[in-house]
Amino acid sequence: MSMSLTYTPISTDWPCQVKTPGNRDWERSAAKWLRDLVPSRYASYPLLIRQPVLLARHAQIQLQQEIRVVRTALHSARAELPALGMPETVIENTIKLYAAELTQLNHIARGVRVVSQALVESHSTRQGH
């Protein structure tokens, strides 16, 4: 196998589910991945399906909100969970769960950013801007 054919991701944030630009159908794989990140009703709008750049933008906003939600849940757990009768071990595990989720969401958000950037560049190249 020649060196030129080896797969090199654009960045370490590039999601493994998305083919890299230059590959056949890379935009379709990007759109499919992005559709899974937004609430299902958005994934059914033809406009968003036909315009992966719009879908990427919506996914970015969606993830920012989710990150905010998880941060709030994480930062308020220690203060609020004892009053709900939660034992210390459950509180500890809840905090671990939210912390792991925050790491995961931040990773996905970085993936959306690099995919979004590539989609925008690909569209502007095609339109000759």
Side-chain angles (χ1 to χ4, degrees):
M1 193 174 175
S2 77
M3 285 310 288
S4 63
L5 291 177
T6 51
Y7 166 68
T8 49
I10 293 180
S11 83
T12 51
D13 293 326
W14 192 268
C16 56
Q17 301 92 322
V18 181
K19 295 178 181 182
T20 49
N23 278 298
R24 235 172 76 85
D25 285 347
W26 88 267
E27 287 195 22
R28 191 176 296 159
S29 73
K32 185 178 183 298
W33 180 69
L34 291 163
R35 277 205 305 274
D36 289 340
L37 297 178
V38 301
S40 55
R41 59 182 190 282
Y42 287 101
S44 66
Y45 290 122
L47 175 66
L48 293 181
I49 293 167
R50 279 196 308 268
Q51 301 288 343
V53 170
L54 287 181
L55 195 57
R57 178 181 175 272
H58 193 86
Q60 267 180 303
I61 296 168
Q62 188 74 44
L63 280 156
Q64 285 164 5
Q65 291 302 326
E66 279 186 57
I67 288 167
R68 220 170 270 139
V69 167
V70 175
R71 274 206 192 112
T72 302
L74 175 64
H75 296 152
S76 57
R78 191 139 322 280
E80 293 177 7
L81 292 180
L84 298 175
M86 292 291 129
E88 186 55 38
T89 52
V90 172
I91 295 171
E92 285 307 318
N93 288 332
T94 303
I95 288 169
K96 280 190 191 122
L97 179 151
Y98 284 134
E101 186 62 15
L102 203 52
T103 303
Q104 178 68 0
L105 286 170
N106 278 309
H107 174 68
I108 297 168
R110 288 194 303 274
V112 172
R113 263 198 302 280
V114 291
V115 168
S116 179
Q117 220 171 329
L119 286 166
V120 168
E121 282 163 20
S122 159
H123 279 242
S124 61
T125 311
R126 268 209 306 275
Q127 289 160 0
H129 293 307

